[in-house]
Amino acid sequence: MRPDQLIPDRDDAPPVPEIAWLQGRGYLDAIEGELKSGKEATVYLGRTRVGLAAVKVFRDLAVRSFKNDGRYRAGRYIGDARTERAIARRSAAGKRAQALLWAAHEYAMLWRLTAAGVNVPEPLVGPDVSDIAQAGEVVLMRFVGDETGPAPRLCDLRLPPAEARRAFDDAVRALAAMWHAGVVHADYSTYNLLWWHGCVVVIDLPQAVEVAHREARELLARDASSLCATFRPHGVEAAPEEVLRMVIAG
Ligand SMILES: Nc1ncnc2c1ncn2[C@@H]1O[C@H](COP(=O)(O)OP(=O)(O)O)[C@@H](O)[C@H]1O
Ligand SMILES: [Mg+2]
């Protein structure tokens, strides 16, 4: 990867102790630099013995919105009333607890979807929960991309019509595969879909919910709508109701 694709003028290593643990355990060799600073997490490029890795760190950024988290957390059990209250209050301890829960949940979803054959980045820690706990607020997963750079997000591309259609169909198939694996992404759009070697790779899963979630159907319908809406600029015309019907029918 060219150094200018990494964000300069920042410390290479994120200031979290979990990085040292990942290195000590041999999961991670080195952090190369910062790739993307997103809404809720900063993603670094890492090197591991199995190849390049994306190192997603849920940091307590001032701008962090935590995606209206109560809605997605509904039904996820936290057996500790103090932690629940701290999260609701967004105190420092609450934010830290929340980051740990988001990361653990993203690992769980990555493992489950990988096992179900959905094209997501392969998780590189776990499935042993004690290792996932040690990784704390850091999600280590396979990097989608190569030495020349990360895979583009579909929202950043201008695809020829036939290719856009193929990407859309692939994204609908992935949505269906997730649904039948018991998962609703809940933030499904071209912003969270990478396009790599002619295939869609689904990323960004901390807010994903189980199909048993009381709003699973609504969130699935919303995913179908955002998918259609964000593919419209690519010239793909599709009706969300039709996508929803196809997804549920499998
Ligand atoms: N496994 C990965 N391989 C390559 N790039 C990634 C990977 N995971 C995340 N990214 C990049 O980092 C960005 C932010 O990651 P994402 O999981 O979407 O977090 P958020 O949107 O919550 O900040 C993505 O849009 C993508 O460009
Ligand atoms: Mg994202």
Side-chain angles (χ1 to χ4, degrees):
M1 178 145 343
R2 294 196 320 270
D4 61 340
Q5 288 179 291
L6 299 171
I7 297 169
D9 299 322
R10 304 227 194 171
D11 282 346
D12 272 0
V16 291
E18 287 89 347
I19 295 295
W21 182 83
L22 288 165
Q23 288 177 323
R25 283 297 289 266
Y27 280 122
L28 178 68
D29 292 336
I31 297 277
E32 300 278 310
E34 186 182 314
L35 264 179
K36 296 248 159 92
S37 195
K39 270 193 316 244
E40 352 231 86
T42 305
V43 179
Y44 299 84
L45 178 71
R47 266 182 210 285
T48 77
R49 59 183 63 165
V50 296
L52 293 174
V55 187
K56 182 174 178 182
V57 182
F58 286 88
R59 283 300 288 165
D60 179 21
L61 305 173
V63 294
R64 178 106 137 243
S65 63
F66 272 133
K67 287 183 185 157
N68 180 23
D69 49 284
R71 181 171 194 197
Y72 307 99
R73 277 194 299 112
R76 279 193 223 159
Y77 179 68
I78 302 176
D80 172 17
R82 265 184 48 200
T83 304
E84 273 285 14
R85 280 198 304 275
I87 290 174
R89 270 203 323 272
R90 293 168 189 274
S91 67
K95 285 182 182 166
R96 161 84 180 154
Q98 181 65 89
L100 297 175
L101 291 169
W102 282 123
H105 190 66
E106 181 149 45
Y107 272 121
M109 292 296 122
L110 289 173
W111 278 105
R112 174 132 143 222
L113 294 174
T114 299
V118 180
N119 207 4
V120 295
E122 182 196 344
L124 297 176
V125 175
D128 181 336
V129 287
S130 66
D131 276 6
I132 288 176
Q134 294 278 3
E137 56 202 53
V138 180
V139 177
L140 187 70
M141 62 190 135
R142 205 170 289 271
F143 176 69
V144 185
D146 59 25
E147 293 285 343
T148 66
R153 302 179 303 178
L154 277 168
C155 63
D156 296 325
L157 292 173
R158 294 180 129 261
L159 297 175
E163 199 178 346
R165 186 75 220 186
R166 276 202 303 280
F168 178 76
D169 291 345
D170 205 22
V172 173
R173 271 195 297 275
L175 192 61
M178 287 191 282
W179 175 254
H180 294 282
V183 174
V184 177
H185 186 287
D187 192 13
Y188 205 63
S189 76
T190 53
Y191 289 86
N192 285 324
L193 298 174
L194 306 180
W195 185 236
W196 189 239
H197 294 314
C199 292
V200 164
V201 185
V202 180
I203 60 164
D204 204 0
L205 290 145
Q207 73 294 316
V209 302
E210 313 269 335
V211 289
H213 185 284
R214 60 176 183 224
E215 291 183 83
R217 281 284 186 138
E218 288 87 336
L219 291 167
L220 181 67
R222 195 183 67 180
D223 277 354
S225 296
S226 4
L227 185 68
C228 293
T230 55
F231 261 97
R232 208 156 293 133
H234 289 289
V236 176
E237 284 301 329
E241 306 72 37
E242 177 61 12
V243 168
L244 196 56
R245 200 190 53 70
M246 286 189 310
V247 164
I248 290 169

